[in-house]
Amino acid sequence: MLDLILSNYYNFSSFLAPNPLLPCHPYHPPIIFDVSTPSASSELENNIVSYNFKKANFALINSYLEKVDWKNSLLNAMTLSNNNCLNFNQKEIIDDMIDFLYMHLYTAIDEYVPKYYHHTSTYPPRFSYELKDLVIAKKIAHSVYKRTRDRTDYENFSVWRARYNLLSERCYNEYLLRTERNIIANPKSFSNYANETRNNSSMPAEMFLDYLRADSYAQIAELFATHFRSVYNPNNNCAYIHSYDVEVDLHIIYISRDEIRGKLRNLKQNKGAGIDGIPPSLLKSCCSSLTEPVFLIFNSSLELGYFPYAWKKGIIVLIQKGGDKSDVTNYRPITILNSIPKLFESLIYDKVYFAFSNLFFDEQHGFRKGRSISTNLCIYTQYLLSVLESGGQVDSVYTDFSKAFDKVDHCILISKLRA
């Protein structure tokens, strides 16, 4: 029973208690307040549940996946599709095969990969447990001195501050040394250190696009979506006909089990997972048991000419190019894809690259194996020196296309691929 209730929640109701525990006082009747509060406190929201794949039991995961009858489960769907049954949609069958694979992967992960709760700490990574305790003790001593203004309390605060400064410097030096030693073994630790030293590396709370401004996550995401859509201008005229002097025989592409197994074994384990939550470390460690289902799904997708819908999703990360951090136009998007479709793409790329490798101009260095900007500059520098030594002149024109890949006309691109 209270005389007054103060709350920062608006959706609550109050009414007189129907069955009071004590006799009612006319000026202080018992009142019941029904307050709707968030389902979780801020402390719980900071605790994120994740899977610890470093301690996963890959032997049991392999054993579980090897017991799955992939051929009967996946090939039966393909057989029904090839018989042109009216009750089956070919595209839906590929999506069902993907769902079947992920169902067993998630079951194995939930069973044999330990979970852990990690708290999003507000302290920098260089802070040790002892230093964190000193921060709390120093704050308490400082608050006591502010309240009492006593000389003894100030001296106590000074002692804690001195201990903190000494340990903070030692922890920072140890952090630098540890980062230095791990550059080769763990390059990500150095990138984390570089990001930490940057001033205000996070995105601002308020962002703008032209005259539009947003200060919430949803509104900011809409601003980015609007900007990225405006870059590409679709062309509705798709009547393009291309003729070529050279023909490339792209017969039905077939991916073998050995090729898939080799790609799985060569995956980089330190890469992160995509939106499906399947890290490359799991695929690499379970390559023997995953080769068969991946082989069936990849070749079924090629046979039906359909790329699964689930593999078209990704996580878009924004990278600032420069300028004002509040300006949406100063960011470019990078999509983090799932590991399995990236594996599929790599296998197809090898096939197509081999078919077209003898048609590339020798002067092209971009998007070619063993060539890069460095090789291009080496040849260009050699040409410059040879001309200058002979007393000649070189005139160069440098061009740059703003958002060139975003402005590729899809109709022209698809018509060229069809030709």
Side-chain angles (χ1 to χ4, degrees):
M1 292 187 298
L2 299 172
D3 291 328
L4 177 66
I5 273 194
L6 297 176
S7 175
N8 60 339
Y9 297 109
Y10 293 97
N11 50 342
F12 66 88
S13 58
S14 61
F15 49 91
L16 293 175
N19 299 310
L21 297 176
L22 300 173
C24 290
H25 191 282
Y27 298 105
H28 299 283
I31 300 174
I32 293 179
F33 283 85
D34 188 5
V35 184
S36 298
T37 60
S39 57
S41 65
S42 58
E43 185 70 25
L44 293 176
E45 289 173 357
N46 289 332
N47 292 306
I48 303 172
V49 183
S50 300
Y51 287 100
N52 189 357
F53 286 96
K54 292 182 179 179
K55 296 184 179 181
N57 194 331
F58 290 116
L60 291 178
I61 294 177
N62 262 311
S63 177
Y64 170 83
L65 295 175
E66 286 173 353
K67 294 177 182 178
V68 180
D69 191 358
W70 300 109
K71 284 188 177 180
N72 288 334
S73 301
L74 298 179
L75 284 181
N76 283 344
M78 280 300 301
T79 303
L80 293 172
S81 172
N82 292 334
N83 291 335
N84 296 322
C85 294
L86 296 177
N87 295 330
F88 287 89
N89 186 323
Q90 292 183 338
K91 295 180 179 180
E92 292 179 356
I93 288 174
I94 299 296
D95 291 330
D96 289 342
M97 295 170 76
I98 299 294
D99 292 340
F100 186 77
L101 171 63
Y102 277 113
M103 178 189 71
H104 286 287
L105 281 174
Y106 292 144
T107 301
I109 289 173
D110 195 58
E111 186 71 23
Y112 303 114
V113 180
K115 301 183 185 71
Y116 71 98
Y117 297 84
H118 56 93
H119 180 74
T120 54
S121 176
T122 57
Y123 294 103
R126 64 177 182 270
F127 273 52
S128 63
Y129 288 108
E130 186 181 356
L131 186 59
K132 293 176 183 178
D133 292 337
L134 282 178
V135 170
I136 297 173
K138 181 170 70 75
K139 287 182 178 179
I140 294 174
H142 185 253
S143 63
V144 171
Y145 165 68
K146 286 179 66 178
R147 187 174 64 252
T148 62
R149 295 295 178 179
D150 186 74
R151 182 66 186 176
T152 305
D153 292 331
Y154 178 77
E155 291 176 356
N156 182 46
F157 163 67
S158 300
V159 171
W160 285 111
R161 182 175 58 184
R163 290 180 183 176
Y164 166 79
N165 292 336
L166 183 65
L167 184 59
S168 177
E169 184 178 357
R170 191 175 72 193
C171 288
Y172 184 71
N173 292 331
E174 291 175 355
Y175 172 66
L176 289 181
L177 184 62
R178 189 166 59 250
T179 304
E180 215 173 286
R181 290 174 177 173
N182 293 336
I183 284 180
I184 297 177
N186 185 16
K188 191 175 181 181
S189 62
F190 178 75
S191 63
N192 292 336
Y193 164 74
N195 292 331
E196 183 190 352
T197 55
R198 291 174 183 167
N199 294 327
N200 193 17
S201 59
S202 60
M203 292 176 62
E206 184 181 53
M207 305 195 69
F208 69 90
L209 174 64
D210 297 330
Y211 59 89
L212 298 175
R213 290 189 172 271
D215 56 3
S216 67
Y217 291 138
Q219 292 174 348
I220 291 175
E222 281 300 321
L223 286 186
F224 278 107
T226 302
H227 171 61
F228 296 146
R229 279 196 300 265
S230 66
V231 173
Y232 174 67
N233 297 318
N235 187 358
N236 296 324
N237 182 18
C238 293
Y240 295 104
I241 299 176
H242 300 277
S243 59
Y244 299 94
D245 297 331
V246 181
E247 290 188 1
V248 177
D249 182 19
L250 282 179
H251 54 279
I252 297 176
I253 296 178
Y254 176 81
I255 301 174
S256 66
R257 292 178 175 86
D258 291 337
E259 290 173 323
I260 293 174
R261 191 178 295 109
K263 286 283 186 181
L264 288 171
R265 287 174 177 172
N266 291 327
L267 288 175
K268 296 181 180 179
Q269 298 192 82
N270 60 340
K271 297 293 184 181
I275 200 170
D276 61 358
I278 307 296
S281 58
L282 184 144
L283 301 177
K284 182 174 184 177
S285 302
C286 302
C287 63
S288 60
S289 56
L290 287 175
T291 298
E292 186 63 25
V294 171
F295 164 78
L296 296 172
I297 293 175
F298 283 0
N299 285 289
S300 300
S301 176
L302 290 171
E303 185 178 344
L304 297 178
Y306 172 70
F307 192 78
Y309 175 76
W311 288 348
K312 296 179 182 179
K313 298 179 180 179
I315 302 173
I316 296 178
V317 179
L318 301 169
I319 306 297
Q320 187 195 10
K321 298 182 297 182
D324 188 358
K325 289 186 177 182
S326 303
D327 192 350
V328 169
T329 60
N330 290 330
Y331 291 81
R332 63 185 175 94
I334 292 179
T335 305
I336 300 176
L337 301 174
N338 297 328
S339 299
I340 300 179
K342 284 172 66 177
L343 174 71
F344 193 14
E345 176 190 344
S346 177
L347 289 163
I348 298 298
Y349 171 80
D350 291 342
K351 303 281 186 180
V352 175
Y353 187 90
F354 178 78
F356 283 91
S357 58
N358 62 333
L359 300 179
F360 291 125
F361 290 102
D362 192 53
E363 291 81 6
Q364 179 178 339
H365 288 256
F367 310 103
R368 295 188 65 182
K369 293 181 179 178
R371 301 197 182 191
S372 63
I373 295 176
S374 300
T375 58
N376 186 23
L377 288 175
C378 285
I379 294 176
Y380 180 58
T381 305
Q382 184 182 10
Y383 172 75
L384 287 175
L385 293 174
S386 63
V387 174
L388 292 175
E389 287 175 355
S390 62
Q393 176 180 321
V394 177
D395 297 328
S396 300
V397 178
Y398 295 89
T399 60
D400 181 38
F401 293 95
S402 176
K403 298 181 175 61
F405 288 100
D406 297 332
K407 294 179 179 178
V408 171
D409 192 307
H410 289 186
C411 292
I412 297 177
L413 178 61
I414 293 172
S415 63
K416 284 186 177 182
L417 292 172
R418 186 178 290 112

